[in-house]
Amino acid sequence: MPELPEVEILKEELRREVVGRRVEEVVAFEKTEGQFPIVQLREAVEGRAVVGVRRWDKMLVLDFEGGRSLLIHLMMVGQLLLSPPFAGQPRDVCLELKFADGARLTLGQVRLKYVHLLPTAEVDNWPPIAKLGVDPLDESFTVDLLRRLLAKKRGMIKTTLMNQAAIAGLGNVYSDEILFRARLHPQRRASELSEEEVERLHASIVAELQRGLELGGSSEMAFLHLDGSEGSYQESFQVKGRKGKPCFACATPIERIKVGGRGTYFCPRCQASYQSSSSSNSSQSPSS
Ligand SMILES: [Zn+2]
């Protein structure tokens, strides 16, 4: 599913391509549109231009003239495509914004219940947004903040990384790649990481998200850029999907376990367990 880098990429592309465009017509395709405020949406955005695009966690927010905002969550396989340049349209289109210049922004492979219309002034305080944790691409995400977040968590580090109320935007793919980069076992207890390990984890989160952005995101599942092109992050996964294949660092076969119900890939040697790798259980302080 799209995680933070993929949605960040779409946000930037929407800012470049869609801000300033005026909506001529809104079309909803889903049969259950009775529950969707399509009439209000038409009233709110038809004849009005997009004035801004923002992102909260994995939620895209299109702000319109007149003080209304359209919130879109792509869930597992949602696609948002602009044509042209994209020549076709996604499968299972649920919503389409037709712009006055002939371009069309089309949302597919997601249910309309994940699309919301809100007054722009209320977006910040909308409960699903207000309860989100820190955005790891934001400059407020410091080592110190991560240390304080982890100290309060009783769960495993992988589960904590994916807890949207703690750190917003990390999912199953980036979490595994981050923990491999940080050389941390996914089942380590979040609150028991050493000072040095927290620093390493922080650097790994920032670096891995940056790598995802630079590679255009992961199109392992359904993510496409606004123009229909694919990202290439999935081509350089270190552990994700590599069960039984040799670790790129040490040649030990990558293992797959379940952590918090989610398939989790890791190198049992590079990310050795707490007991076998750490000196924390002894009276000696870490030597390196
Ligand atoms: Zn390894």
Side-chain angles (χ1 to χ4, degrees):
M1 69 187 286
E3 297 185 30
L4 191 151
E6 288 76 38
V7 184
E8 176 70 13
I9 286 165
L10 279 178
K11 181 200 81 180
E12 290 296 324
E13 292 176 347
L14 285 165
R15 278 187 176 171
R16 277 199 305 274
E17 302 294 334
V18 168
V19 169
R21 280 190 154 135
R22 190 169 299 277
V23 174
E24 191 170 77
E25 187 186 3
V26 181
V27 186
F29 293 87
E30 203 174 281
K31 291 185 183 71
T32 57
E33 79 176 57
Q35 293 162 17
F36 182 75
I38 184 65
V39 174
Q40 290 93 317
L41 179 59
R42 286 191 178 121
E43 284 173 6
V45 310
E46 283 180 357
R48 296 202 164 98
V50 180
V51 293
V53 182
R54 297 177 286 163
R55 175 187 63 77
W56 262 275
D57 171 34
K58 296 176 238 178
M59 183 91 67
L60 284 165
V61 180
L62 274 67
D63 299 320
F64 287 86
E65 287 176 335
R68 293 302 187 92
S69 296
L70 190 62
L71 284 67
I72 298 170
H73 197 299
L74 296 178
M75 299 308 291
M76 293 299 284
V77 294
Q79 293 177 337
L80 196 57
L81 293 160
L82 183 70
S83 63
F86 187 66
Q89 60 179 28
R91 281 189 294 127
D92 301 325
V93 174
C94 71
L95 192 70
E96 185 171 82
L97 303 184
K98 293 182 176 174
F99 295 107
D101 61 6
R104 293 178 299 125
L105 183 65
T106 314
L107 176 67
Q109 305 193 154
V110 64
R111 304 290 304 278
L112 272 179
K113 66 178 177 180
Y114 300 113
V115 178
H116 299 271
L117 180 70
L118 286 181
T120 301
E122 291 176 17
V123 171
D124 301 32
N125 293 318
W126 191 50
I129 281 179
K131 73 179 183 193
L132 289 170
V134 63
D135 187 312
L137 287 182
D138 194 90
E139 59 186 22
S140 66
F141 180 64
T142 60
V143 176
D144 194 48
L145 178 65
L146 179 62
R147 183 185 302 120
R148 280 184 276 128
L149 280 174
L150 298 181
K152 289 187 285 188
K153 297 294 174 196
R154 290 174 166 269
M156 292 179 271
I157 186 62
K158 162 98 186 249
T159 319
T160 304
L161 287 184
M162 291 179 63
N163 177 351
Q164 303 302 302
I167 302 168
L170 301 182
N172 205 29
V173 171
Y174 283 87
S175 297
D176 284 0
E177 295 293 312
I178 286 166
L179 290 171
F180 175 75
R181 182 186 275 262
R183 300 296 191 259
L184 292 171
H185 192 286
Q187 290 175 312
R188 290 281 303 278
R189 288 210 172 277
S191 60
E192 292 175 356
L193 297 192
S194 71
E195 195 81 354
E196 187 262 329
E197 286 171 333
V198 173
E199 281 177 26
R200 215 163 67 215
L201 178 61
H202 180 272
S204 299
I205 292 171
V206 173
E208 204 57 40
L209 291 176
Q210 203 55 46
R211 200 166 74 90
L213 287 170
E214 283 164 9
L215 293 173
S218 166
S219 294
E220 177 217 9
M221 284 181 76
F223 168 72
L224 293 177
H225 289 235
L226 210 50
D227 66 0
S229 62
E230 293 191 348
S232 63
Y233 181 58
Q234 70 280 1
E235 291 163 18
S236 65
F237 285 161
Q238 302 293 296
V239 288
K240 166 75 178 169
R242 299 194 65 248
K243 182 186 174 188
K245 294 183 178 156
C247 169
F248 291 126
C250 75
T252 302
I254 299 297
E255 290 184 6
R256 182 182 187 277
I257 55 172
K258 287 253 181 176
V259 177
R262 305 298 298 271
T264 297
Y265 297 87
F266 73 106
C267 171
R269 185 164 176 195
C270 293
Q271 298 166 263
S273 67
Y274 179 70
Q275 287 77 12
S276 61
S277 76
S278 170
S279 57
S280 301
N281 284 340
S282 73
S283 57
Q284 296 171 346
S285 59
S287 57
S288 60

